Amino acid sequence: MNVEIDPALAEKKLRTLVEEFGVNIPEAEKTVTENLAKEHNVATVPSQSSDLREIGTLVPGEWATVEGKVVGLSRPVSDSISQSGIIADTSGAIQFIAWARSNLPPLTEGRSYRVESVVVDEYRGVPKIKFHAGTTITEIEKDIPCLPQATKVADLRPGIASVRVKMVQEWEARHERILQTGIVGDESGTLKFTIWKEEGVERLEPETVYNIFYASVDEYQGRLSITLNGAKCFPEEDGELSVGIGGTTLTGAIVNIGPGSGLIKRCPVEGCNRVLSKRNYCPVHEVQNDFRYDLRIKAVLDDGAKAHNILMQKEVVEAVAGLTLDEAVKTVQESPLGMDDIFYRLRDALMGRYYACRGGDLGDTLLVKECTPLGFDGERHAALLNRLGGEINAS
């Protein structure tokens, strides 16, 4: 059967697969050939990627066929995407996206499908599968069993994971699209979580233990965080969980105490906890005169090779500075400097001194849980002097 093919159109399809979807050239050629054969009703080209693969074994750069259950759907982040979500089998789970121009039928959450000829890609270390015009989707009768196993925070890797964690801290959202952000953790450590605003999503309640299934674990600049859009979050009634400090320890000198350190005022509205301005103004709930006081230190610790942002909360500040919250409030009420008095006291107490800070990595900041002053180290002092060509007793 003779068929006339437009070379320019075939080239355009090849470029789209290779340049936009990251498909290797041999696979792109096979896909375009198959699509053209289908368009012209030529059934002489064998189907590709027909070997069924377990989702947990997929690696970026390959093509595959999978069978799995759709365990979550999320709002596409771009008009070029018609659907995004998570598909899982007994071996694991993976994010999927379907391109709008592929004109594929939408998947339904809770149903199982056979998806043939998908591209395995990755973004910031997170593997994903992408559905394109050559992908075939077939709903299957059998129910794909999914048994999500909780992973400890310290053992998380980029991808999709299930965890049992406690929500321990809420932060002020720095983007209008963020519904909630903060810290969750288990015995092995803590990490940042984010929930983006979209229909149907709910906030986490502080100090509540959750079983979270199929959360997206992302990595940025070597730090992990989880996104809960599309995940299933089940609170435990009366659940108990001890949250560990985590495995990050920094040692060095504090070289800066930043604005916003010292005695601060927080919004009293339940679930808010934002820091108020000097005029007691909350960016969400406006003026709040029935505020509550808190202590914190936002500082920079230099380890000799790199400067690190650190954040100390009330309990750590009280221990390291020898100043309780009640004492700080009393001082402010009696001092003509007001709240600046506490800032200066903390700055004078900590600046230029050496500490070992241990806590959870929040992305660009270490949330300090323990802070230990470091004493004089004669051997290290001598080694530094030797590197500089000086003497240990040099003035």
Side-chain angles (χ1 to χ4, degrees):
M1 181 176 182
N2 294 324
V3 175
E4 291 186 7
I5 302 297
D6 183 353
L9 179 60
E11 181 181 354
K12 181 180 179 181
K13 291 181 176 181
L14 278 172
R15 287 187 178 278
T16 298
L17 288 174
V18 174
E19 297 176 1
E20 296 187 24
F21 299 163
V23 179
N24 60 58
I25 292 177
E27 291 290 354
E29 290 176 345
K30 292 170 62 178
T31 298
V32 172
T33 302
E34 282 192 351
N35 290 342
L36 290 173
K38 289 181 180 178
E39 289 176 10
H40 296 281
N41 199 26
V42 177
T44 57
V45 180
S47 61
Q48 62 172 353
S49 306
S50 59
D51 294 338
L52 186 63
R53 295 283 304 279
E54 291 186 326
I55 289 175
T57 66
L58 298 177
V59 295
E62 66 178 351
W63 288 59
T65 291
V66 299
E67 289 185 354
K69 178 188 289 185
V70 178
V71 294
L73 293 173
S74 55
R75 186 174 62 181
V77 297
S78 168
D79 292 338
S80 64
I81 298 174
S82 63
Q83 193 175 38
S84 60
I86 298 169
I87 188 168
D89 63 12
T90 55
S91 67
I94 193 169
Q95 295 181 17
F96 72 85
I97 65 170
W99 298 110
R101 56 189 170 189
S102 63
N103 294 318
L104 292 169
L107 279 61
T108 302
E109 185 172 342
R111 295 183 180 177
S112 300
Y113 297 89
R114 179 182 176 90
V115 189
E116 299 179 70
S117 188
V118 299
V119 184
V120 186
D121 201 352
E122 67 174 342
Y123 178 68
R124 290 181 177 175
V126 180
K128 300 179 180 181
I129 56 175
K130 296 180 178 179
F131 304 167
H132 53 90
T135 298
T136 301
I137 298 175
T138 307
E139 185 173 349
I140 54 181
E141 294 294 332
K142 67 178 180 180
D143 182 62
I144 302 294
C146 299
L147 303 171
Q149 300 293 322
T151 302
K152 294 295 183 185
V153 167
D155 297 328
L156 290 175
R157 297 291 182 270
I160 301 297
S162 299
V163 293
R164 180 177 183 266
V165 292
K166 178 191 284 187
M167 197 281 227
V168 294
Q169 188 176 98
E170 183 173 0
W171 297 347
E172 181 177 345
R174 297 181 178 178
H175 193 289
E176 61 180 10
R177 288 190 55 236
I178 293 178
L179 174 67
Q180 188 181 32
T181 184
I183 297 296
V184 294
D186 62 12
E187 304 91 337
S188 67
T190 61
L191 81 167
K192 174 185 174 183
F193 77 91
T194 300
I195 303 175
W196 297 93
K197 290 180 180 176
E198 64 179 51
E199 186 177 357
V201 298
E202 297 183 358
R203 304 168 67 92
L204 299 186
E205 294 297 327
E207 300 302 317
T208 301
V209 177
Y210 288 88
N211 287 290
I212 299 176
F213 299 146
Y214 305 120
S216 174
V217 184
D218 304 301
E219 181 178 24
Y220 180 64
Q221 295 185 343
R223 299 180 176 91
L224 297 181
S225 63
I226 59 173
T227 301
L228 303 187
N229 296 74
K232 308 298 182 188
C233 303
F234 301 100
E236 286 186 8
E237 186 174 355
D238 301 325
E240 295 291 338
L241 184 63
S242 298
V243 177
I245 293 174
T248 302
T249 301
L250 300 174
T251 59
I254 290 182
V255 296
N256 178 264
I257 304 291
S261 300
L263 191 66
I264 59 175
K265 302 173 184 175
R266 292 194 181 275
C267 179
V269 177
E270 184 177 358
C272 181
N273 209 38
R274 288 176 171 82
V275 178
L276 305 181
S277 70
K278 288 188 176 181
R279 295 181 182 274
N280 303 336
Y281 186 83
C282 171
V284 174
H285 303 101
E286 301 185 343
V287 176
Q288 297 291 325
N289 291 320
D290 189 23
F291 54 81
R292 68 176 182 84
Y293 282 113
D294 194 8
L295 272 176
R296 74 174 180 184
I297 292 177
K298 300 168 67 177
V300 176
L301 185 140
D302 193 320
D303 64 6
K306 184 179 178 181
H308 306 269
N309 295 319
I310 60 174
L311 174 63
M312 301 181 190
Q313 295 179 299
K314 179 176 73 71
E315 290 75 13
V316 180
V317 175
E318 289 180 331
V320 75
L323 178 70
T324 67
L325 176 61
D326 291 340
E327 291 170 343
V329 173
K330 184 177 179 181
T331 298
V332 166
Q333 292 171 344
E334 298 174 350
S335 172
L337 293 177
M339 297 176 72
D340 288 342
D341 192 320
I342 303 304
F343 175 84
Y344 294 137
R345 288 192 185 200
L346 296 178
R347 188 189 62 180
D348 293 343
L350 275 70
M351 275 285 288
R353 291 177 169 79
Y354 286 81
Y355 295 92
C357 296
R358 182 175 178 80
D361 189 345
L362 306 184
D364 60 352
T365 301
L366 183 75
L367 177 61
V368 180
K369 294 294 185 181
E370 292 179 351
C371 183
T372 306
L374 299 179
F376 175 74
D377 187 337
E379 292 185 3
R380 186 167 183 267
H381 182 64
L384 290 172
L385 284 175
N386 289 334
R387 287 173 58 187
L388 294 172
E391 299 177 359
I392 191 168
N393 294 321
S395 59

